[in-house]
Amino acid sequence: MQPEPLAGLEAYPEAGAAPEAGRRRYRWVKLLAAGTAVAVLAGAGGLYYLYQQLDGNITTDTVTENDLNVHESERPTEGPTSAENILLLGSDNRGDGNGKYGQDSGTQRSDTAILLHLAADRHSATAMSIPRDLMAHVPSCDKPNGGKTAARFVQFNWAFEFGGAACTIRTVENMTGIRIDHHLIVDFSGFKKIVNAVDGVDVCLAEPVHDTKAHLDLPAGRQTLNGEQALGYVRSRHGFGDGSDTERMDRQQGFLGSLFSKVSSNGVLLNPTKVYPVLSAATSSLTADPGLDSLSELYSLARDIQRIPTGQVQFLTLPREQYTKDRNRDQLVQPAAGRLFAALRDDMPVTVTPDGKSGSGTPESGKQDSGKPKSGKPGATGTPARSGTPATTGPTYRGTTADADICGKA
C-alpha cells in the first residue's frame, strides 16, 4: 500500500524550488537598492560637479579689493542698515573676442555704470545710471600697469579707463557719499550670453533702426532681440533719435526692466532647466569682488532681486545738465542730485515718473522736483517705507519701472 502524500504537497509539485525563488527575489531587491544608491550618488556627484564648474567660472577682483583697503580712511562709512549698494559696470573691452566692436587699445572704459541700491527690507530697488560723459572729480589712482594718475576734474568714464574698478568706485563714493558694498563687471561677450540664455529680451521701436557701427538693423515695432542685437541696441547712439547719451541710457534702463520682468515672470530662477544656462552665462562673464565671487552669493542676490515686485524696481539717471564749459559733457544739477544721493545713502524712498513730476495726490502734484529737502535731515526726504509697503513719498525723478510696458501701453 502506497503511503499517502503529505497534506498540501500536491498543490506544490515543485515545492523544493520555493526557497531558491525567494533568494532570487532578494538578490533583485539588493541590486535595485544598490542601483538606486549609485544613481543618487551619481546625481549628487553630477550636481556637485556642475556647482563647482559654475562657481569656478567667476573671476575674483582682488586687485580692486586691495586698492580700496589702502584708501579705506577716505571712503564713506558703512550704513547702519542691511541695505546694499552694488556698482554694475559694463566694460567696453575690445579684447577677449570683442574685437569687432572696435580696435583693442589695451584699455577699457565703463560703457555703462549703474549704482544699484537694494533697500534694507528688500521690497524695492533703485538703479541709478551715471552718464559716461559726466564731469567728475577723479582722485589720484593706481594704474593697472604701475604708476599713478593725477587727481583731476574729467569725464567720469576716464576713471575706469585709467584706474580700473577701484578708481571708479572711489569716484562714485566721492561724488555721492554712498559707500559701494560690492561691484560686478560684465563685458560685451558676457552681456550677449546672458540675453541668449533667457531666449532673448523684448523691446519696442518707434521706427526702423539701421546703425552699421553698432551692427544693428531692426524693423519698427515690438520684437525679441537676441544677444548680438541686444548689445547693439544698448550701445548704439547714432542710430536712434538725436544720438544723445541720454537716449541711450533710457534704452538701457528700459531694456534692463524688460530683462528683469522676463526672468521674474518665467520663473527662471525656480526652474532647473532654465536656471543653469542663465547661471552659466552669468558666472562665465562676471568679474566680482570677493563678497560676490561665489555661486551661492550671486544666487542669493538674484533671489533677493527676483522677489521684489516689478513695480518697485526703478530705473533713473542722476540729475544732470549740459556742462557749461563743454556742450559735449554733463554736470550735476544741484540740489536735486544731492537730494537723490542722500535718499539712497539713508535708505529713504525715491519715486520715479516718466516726466519727473510728482503724481496726483502728492503735495508736489504737477510740479517739477525742486531738490529741496522735506524733512529736518539735510538732503533727506519723506519717511522710510515700512516693510512690505511700497514707497509712495520721496524725491521724484524722471525714470521708469520694470513693470512698464516696453511699447508705452497702459
Side-chain angles (χ1 to χ4, degrees), residues 153-276:
F153 188 62
V154 291
Q155 69 184 79
F156 172 73
N157 70 339
W158 281 28
F160 191 77
E161 181 175 2
F162 297 110
C167 193
T168 304
I169 291 171
R170 291 173 60 207
T171 301
V172 173
E173 290 183 339
N174 288 345
M175 179 196 308
T176 64
I178 299 170
R179 185 181 178 95
I180 305 301
D181 301 300
H182 301 290
H183 70 279
L184 295 170
I185 306 171
V186 60
D187 66 10
F188 290 165
S189 296
F191 177 83
K192 292 190 298 183
K193 289 178 183 177
I194 293 172
V195 173
N196 287 332
V198 297
D199 298 324
V201 175
D202 293 343
V203 300
C204 192
L205 301 179
E207 56 188 27
V209 174
H210 307 285
D211 186 345
T212 56
K213 290 185 178 180
H215 304 276
L216 202 61
D217 189 3
L218 299 171
R222 184 187 293 262
Q223 56 205 285
T224 302
L225 303 187
N226 61 30
E228 186 73 31
Q229 295 169 324
L231 179 61
Y233 178 80
V234 299
R235 290 186 63 238
S236 177
R237 290 183 66 167
H238 306 293
F240 292 83
D242 60 7
S244 67
D245 202 36
T246 298
E247 284 203 3
R248 179 165 70 168
M249 285 186 291
D250 287 346
R251 287 198 311 278
Q252 290 173 350
Q253 292 168 7
F255 183 89
L256 289 175
S258 185
L259 172 61
F260 175 85
S261 181
K262 180 170 186 178
V263 171
S264 299
S265 62
N266 287 357
V268 170
L269 296 178
L270 299 178
N271 187 329
T273 63
K274 293 182 178 181
V275 74
Y276 179 78

Side-chain angles (χ1 to χ4, degrees), residues 215-371:
H215 304 276
L216 202 61
D217 189 3
L218 299 171
R222 184 187 293 262
Q223 56 205 285
T224 302
L225 303 187
N226 61 30
E228 186 73 31
Q229 295 169 324
L231 179 61
Y233 178 80
V234 299
R235 290 186 63 238
S236 177
R237 290 183 66 167
H238 306 293
F240 292 83
D242 60 7
S244 67
D245 202 36
T246 298
E247 284 203 3
R248 179 165 70 168
M249 285 186 291
D250 287 346
R251 287 198 311 278
Q252 290 173 350
Q253 292 168 7
F255 183 89
L256 289 175
S258 185
L259 172 61
F260 175 85
S261 181
K262 180 170 186 178
V263 171
S264 299
S265 62
N266 287 357
V268 170
L269 296 178
L270 299 178
N271 187 329
T273 63
K274 293 182 178 181
V275 74
Y276 179 78
V278 175
L279 291 176
S280 178
T283 55
S284 63
S285 62
L286 285 179
T287 298
D289 66 88
L292 280 180
D293 66 342
S294 72
L295 181 60
S296 60
E297 289 164 335
L298 283 175
Y299 189 72
S300 177
L301 172 64
R303 287 299 303 275
D304 277 351
I305 297 175
Q306 191 261 348
R307 291 189 181 103
I308 299 173
T310 54
Q312 293 302 309
V313 178
Q314 304 179 126
F315 300 89
L316 59 89
T317 301
L318 59 77
R320 87 275 187 230
E321 61 189 0
Q322 188 179 98
Y323 181 41
T324 54
K325 296 182 180 180
D326 186 345
R327 63 188 303 271
N328 295 314
R329 299 290 179 263
D330 293 327
Q331 64 185 21
L332 294 176
V333 173
Q334 296 293 6
R339 187 180 180 205
L340 171 61
F341 300 155
L344 296 179
R345 182 172 60 246
D346 298 334
D347 198 27
M348 305 290 276
V350 171
T351 302
V352 300
T353 61
D355 58 3
K357 297 180 180 179
S358 299
S360 59
T362 65
E364 295 182 317
S365 180
K367 296 181 181 180
Q368 192 73 25
D369 173 36
S370 64

